Amino acid sequence: MKLIASLTSPYARKIRIVLAERHQPFELVVDIPWNADTHVPDYNPLGKVPALVADDGSVYVDSPVIAEYIDGVLRSPLLIPAERAQAVKVKLIEALADGLIDAAVAVFLERKRTPDRQDAEWIARQLGKIDLALASLARQLGGGTWFHEQHLTLADIAVGCALGYLAFRFAEIGWRNQHPALAAFYDRLMTRESFLASAPPHA
């Protein structure tokens, strides 16, 4: 398998962790979609990472799709439950975590514009989404160790990547103090080699 990714993408980090937790060897091809010489569109016409090239040459894009493909191919240990209703519960948490990332990335990109071109109302709206998503995730975690059952699933990986992106790009957001259970959850994840090895540079 070959994974096209940037080292700062939380979506790509999710797949790197999924592959690491499955002990699946893969070739990491670092490519920055924003660079003029990027080859990302050769794999994904939308110009987004990650993209996974399977051993048979098939290309898969969008991190939820890639994660589901990997679970279907490798089978054990499953990060998405085999039972459909349970799988949907895990995927719902993944969707919420990915939505949090979507909002955070939107703010990050908007802030890269010159101050006179930034939309303060748009930024505030996205930050509000982040706050609500964090509160929802904290409620769903409660006092538990994992988001689903008593072991690591894709839900935990997705939430960990979302929290990691906030730690990387949004140090000013005080989610650790507001949601100590999420902070403890993330700290536990950061003792795993898969999370340590995939941490963004200078995170």
Side-chain angles (χ1 to χ4, degrees), residues 64-118:
V65 173
I66 297 172
E68 193 152 353
Y69 166 76
I70 293 169
D71 239 33
V73 169
L74 301 181
R75 301 301 300 170
S76 179
L78 287 175
L79 294 172
I80 304 171
E83 203 279 315
R84 191 171 182 85
Q86 299 304 310
V88 169
K89 291 180 180 179
V90 166
K91 299 290 287 181
L92 279 172
I93 296 171
E94 180 194 21
L96 180 57
D98 282 359
L100 189 161
I101 294 172
D102 291 344
V105 170
V107 173
F108 174 73
L109 294 177
E110 185 70 13
R111 286 176 173 174
K112 289 177 71 71
R113 296 156 64 94
T114 57
D116 61 298
R117 298 180 63 196
Q118 291 181 22

Side-chain angles (χ1 to χ4, degrees), residues 10-197:
Y11 311 105
R13 185 186 187 191
K14 185 205 303 185
I15 302 306
R16 292 171 65 192
I17 292 170
V18 166
L19 289 167
E21 290 289 341
R22 305 298 294 276
H23 305 290
Q24 172 64 38
F26 67 98
E27 177 188 357
L28 177 62
V29 179
V30 177
D31 197 335
I32 312 301
W34 307 110
N35 290 354
D37 60 349
T38 182
H39 290 283
V40 171
D42 296 341
Y43 302 96
N44 182 354
L46 298 177
K48 297 180 179 181
V49 292
L52 182 79
V53 182
D55 292 337
D56 65 359
S58 301
V59 179
Y60 298 87
V61 300
D62 190 50
S63 66
V65 173
I66 297 172
E68 193 152 353
Y69 166 76
I70 293 169
D71 239 33
V73 169
L74 301 181
R75 301 301 300 170
S76 179
L78 287 175
L79 294 172
I80 304 171
E83 203 279 315
R84 191 171 182 85
Q86 299 304 310
V88 169
K89 291 180 180 179
V90 166
K91 299 290 287 181
L92 279 172
I93 296 171
E94 180 194 21
L96 180 57
D98 282 359
L100 189 161
I101 294 172
D102 291 344
V105 170
V107 173
F108 174 73
L109 294 177
E110 185 70 13
R111 286 176 173 174
K112 289 177 71 71
R113 296 156 64 94
T114 57
D116 61 298
R117 298 180 63 196
Q118 291 181 22
D119 188 331
E121 184 177 347
W122 169 258
I123 291 174
R125 181 177 177 81
Q126 303 311 312
L127 291 175
K129 292 179 183 180
I130 293 172
D131 288 342
L132 290 173
L134 285 169
S136 178
L137 290 171
R139 285 194 301 271
Q140 293 184 66
L141 180 62
T145 301
W146 306 107
F147 273 90
H148 185 75
E149 297 182 341
Q150 300 304 313
H151 57 85
L152 181 81
T153 67
L154 182 61
D156 305 294
I157 294 172
V159 175
C161 290
L163 296 176
Y165 188 71
L166 292 183
F168 177 50
R169 295 292 195 196
F170 294 87
E172 75 276 12
I173 295 180
W175 63 271
R176 282 184 161 275
N177 293 331
Q178 295 171 12
H179 306 291
L182 287 180
F185 167 78
Y186 183 67
D187 290 342
R188 285 194 302 272
L189 290 179
M190 285 302 293
T191 66
R192 303 177 76 94
E193 179 60 28
S194 60
F195 274 83
L196 289 170

